Amino acid sequence: MALPRTLGELQLYRVLQRANLLSYYETFIQQGGDDVQQLCEAGEEEFLEIMALVGMATKPLHVRRL
């Protein structure tokens, strides 16, 4: 697993670590998802779209934990 290189990546890493979802970290980074604020401010539709992009949409309990 690649280690965080920027503040945004570190914030994402810590959020996913706290939720025990680090397995999604590299996929988030590959999709450009290194902005935790964007996740926090996303509406329901946008949030679900992001979850689909990172492969989390098929695991609703992971989405809920995040």
Side-chain angles (χ1 to χ4, degrees):
M1 178 186 332
L3 294 176
R5 297 172 306 182
T6 66
L7 178 60
E9 289 180 6
L10 179 60
Q11 290 172 334
L12 174 65
Y13 184 91
R14 294 223 171 133
V15 166
L16 292 173
Q17 183 180 43
R18 178 173 248 176
N20 196 25
L21 295 169
L22 274 178
S23 61
Y24 295 98
Y25 175 74
E26 286 189 39
T27 307
F28 266 97
I29 298 304
Q30 289 170 357
Q31 295 295 328
D34 60 350
D35 185 353
V36 173
Q37 193 65 34
Q38 179 185 15
L39 287 174
C40 293
E41 294 175 355
E44 183 178 354
E45 188 175 318
E46 182 182 6
F47 184 79
L48 293 175
E49 182 180 325
I50 293 168
M51 296 301 99
L53 284 172
V54 299
M56 200 182 291
T58 59
K59 297 185 178 179
L61 295 178
H62 285 186
V63 174
R64 187 177 185 104
R65 192 179 330 158
L66 181 61

